Amino acid sequence: MKDCQADLLIIGAGIVGLATALEATRRFPGMRVVVVDKEDHVAAHQTGHNSGVIHSGLYYRTGSLKARNCVAGAASMKRFCREHGVPFEECGKLVLAASAEEASRLEQLRQRGVANGVPGLRILEPAEFREIEPHARGIRALHVPTTGIVDYTSVACKYAELITRNGGEIVLSAGVVAINDDGRCNVVVTAAGEFRARYAINCAGLYSDTIARLAGLETDLEIVPFRGEYYEIKAERRHLVRGLIYPVPDPRFPFLGVHFTRRINGSVEAGPNAVLALRREGYTGSGMELSEATQMLRFGGFWKMARKYWQKGLAEQYRSWMKGAFVRSLQKMLPELQESDLVPGGSGVRAQAVDKNGNLLDDFHFAHTRRMIHVCNVPSPAATASLEIGSEIMDMFVEQFDLTAVPSETHAN
């Protein structure tokens, strides 16, 4: 157990929390920056279960925080990886249209990508896109050459290394149990001791709403966890996919549909489903966390969401239960794929913020209390955009708080 003084305490050692801490140590070299996390290693949850895609910024509403931060973030991420020796690959992506209606949406997607500043976008006919992905099928495709792949756990570990090198501290096995304001600073009680911090930033991901409530923030948002389930293509059949192959997304949902993703280690994932998880760390379909499930079911916004999207949810659950249905979805893009080509893969849980009206928050969302910034909703492409998000959070930090209260040596440029 330890007691610690800090100028800035960041709750959550996922990729966004670490990127924010890294930006703080760079921008304010003398500032005492501490990151706490309940797990015994960094990147334990969303970051460590990420598909590893460096997104281009194609999908997001023009002018949104997602669009702005993703396009810039993809460039920042690649530059960071080059500078620090983190392996990545700019493998490109095809978005395949299977019908005339999807082809129309594909052109709309291209126009949005151009408006967002995504370079190199091209609509391709079948003979053209088969030169890129010989086994793919569709009536048209959008080629996104700047999409890449990386291991975000490696990125997060490099962030952590740089934070400590810059004088910051990362304290693990330090789950937060209480937050108080003593009139001068935040008193954050954790399993590893008490931390007194002039300012704090909540980057707790799956538990961001829980931390916000501990800090006294009244919010109508609730984190609803969705599990993404993947299969992996057997090694001898990986040649069917050279890069990334995606369907045209349904604009009603923030999920991109089942797709193929080549990983930086050479493996190929297929998926994910997006099914409701009954616990926030529900990486398998078995069991539930009773208190978390009860809290979710008591939230009025959950039932409004369920009424809106029950058909989609049922279809996702059916595909989770029935491997054949999962395979048929994939065969629309890759007809040669057989059920025997797939073996069970990994899974991840998406922290999706839902409001009291049952709306799935589509953009990044931040809130403030007296001495804290709360990162309430930063789903994909948060990993891609993590450096830009960290910079944006620190811009908010400078604008929101009176830094003359921080020791003068922390104001270095």
Side-chain angles (χ1 to χ4, degrees):
M1 297 287 288
K2 65 182 292 184
D3 292 336
C4 180
Q5 298 281 341
D7 294 316
L8 175 61
L9 181 74
I10 294 173
I11 301 169
I15 200 165
V16 172
L18 293 171
T20 303
L22 179 59
E23 178 66 14
T25 63
R26 288 172 166 174
R27 197 178 297 195
F28 303 107
M31 180 178 284
R32 291 166 295 175
V33 178
V34 178
V35 182
V36 297
D37 195 277
K38 73 183 185 70
E39 304 298 348
D40 62 3
H41 60 286
V42 303
H45 291 294
Q46 291 183 101
T47 304
H49 295 80
N50 193 289
S51 64
V53 177
I54 303 175
H55 291 285
S56 64
L58 174 70
Y59 299 104
Y60 315 115
R61 177 175 51 83
T62 301
S64 66
L65 290 172
K66 276 189 176 183
R68 186 174 75 240
N69 284 291
C70 186
V71 174
S76 297
M77 180 59 62
K78 294 170 188 175
R79 186 165 56 248
F80 179 89
C81 291
R82 291 188 189 99
E83 291 174 355
H84 296 282
V86 178
F88 80 99
E89 181 183 345
E90 196 172 76
C91 59
K93 173 171 70 176
L94 286 182
V95 184
L96 290 174
S99 66
E101 188 272 333
E102 286 189 356
S104 175
R105 282 196 277 139
L106 194 70
E107 172 57 23
Q108 294 170 11
L109 197 61
R110 185 195 69 81
Q111 293 175 12
R112 173 175 284 189
V114 170
N116 289 349
V118 180
L121 299 175
R122 293 189 302 149
I123 297 289
L124 303 179
E125 299 300 322
E128 297 173 301
F129 70 69
R130 285 176 194 157
E131 293 180 7
I132 299 169
E133 293 285 358
H135 303 279
R137 294 295 180 269
I139 66 169
R140 204 159 294 151
L142 176 62
H143 185 220
V144 191
T146 57
T147 299
I149 51 176
V150 72
D151 178 359
Y152 282 116
T153 298
S154 296
V155 174
C157 288
K158 180 58 69 171
Y159 288 177
E161 176 188 325
L162 295 173
I163 290 164
T164 55
R165 188 186 301 174
N166 292 349
E169 184 178 2
I170 299 171
V171 182
L172 300 173
S173 301
V176 175
V177 296
I179 301 174
N180 302 295
D181 187 331
D182 70 359
R184 293 181 296 113
C185 64
N186 298 285
V187 181
V188 181
V189 183
T190 80
E194 184 176 284
F195 294 80
R196 301 176 65 83
R198 195 175 302 275
Y199 304 110
I201 300 175
N202 167 13
C203 295
L206 286 162
Y207 299 93
S208 58
D209 58 340
T210 302
I211 297 298
R213 282 190 283 269
L214 284 177
L217 177 65
E218 295 184 9
T219 175
D220 64 358
L221 301 178
E222 183 86 14
I223 294 297
V224 175
F226 286 89
R227 182 174 59 256
E229 301 168 333
Y230 290 86
Y231 283 93
E232 189 172 309
I233 297 180
K234 290 180 178 178
E236 61 269 25
R237 297 284 280 172
R238 290 175 183 170
H239 67 276
L240 294 175
V241 179
R242 290 180 173 179
L244 281 71
I245 305 175
Y246 281 57
V248 179
D250 187 329
R252 296 173 297 169
F253 305 102
F255 309 108
L256 298 178
V258 293
H259 49 268
F260 298 95
T261 306
R262 181 168 290 278
R263 303 297 300 267
I264 197 67
N265 64 6
S267 64
V268 179
E269 284 185 337
N273 288 316
V275 298
L276 183 68
L278 294 177
R279 52 195 174 108
R280 300 194 185 203
E281 297 173 24
Y283 299 110
T284 67
S286 60
M288 72 167 69
E289 172 59 48
L290 183 60
S291 63
E292 292 178 357
T294 300
Q295 179 180 328
M296 181 175 66
L297 295 175
R298 285 177 175 171
F299 176 52
F302 170 80
W303 295 106
K304 292 176 181 178
M305 177 195 72
R307 283 195 292 272
K308 289 180 183 180
Y309 303 124
W310 69 270
Q311 290 178 305
K312 176 69 172 177
L314 191 61
E316 293 284 336
Q317 190 63 64
Y318 178 75
R319 196 164 56 192
S320 173
W321 289 330
M322 305 297 293
K323 184 179 180 181
F326 192 101
V327 173
R328 286 192 292 275
S329 295
L330 294 167
Q331 286 173 331
K332 294 176 183 178
M333 298 175 286
L334 206 68
E336 294 176 53
L337 187 76
Q338 300 299 314
E339 188 170 332
S340 59
D341 295 334
L342 299 179
V343 295
S347 65
V349 178
R350 176 189 178 110
Q352 177 62 55
V354 177
D355 70 17
K356 64 181 181 181
N357 296 315
N359 299 312
L360 305 174
L361 264 66
D362 185 50
D363 205 1
F364 300 152
H365 183 78
F366 307 91
H368 304 86
T369 48
R370 185 180 178 191
R371 303 179 196 278
M372 290 187 69
I373 294 173
H374 300 273
V375 182
C376 300
N377 191 62
V378 282
S380 180
T384 298
S386 54
L387 290 167
E388 301 300 319
I389 295 170
S391 180
E392 183 136 347
I393 291 170
M394 289 309 298
D395 287 345
M396 293 180 202
F397 177 79
V398 172
E399 293 169 6
Q400 182 74 15
F401 302 121
D402 177 13
L403 296 188
T404 59
V406 177
S408 59
E409 65 268 19
T410 68
H411 294 171
N413 292 321

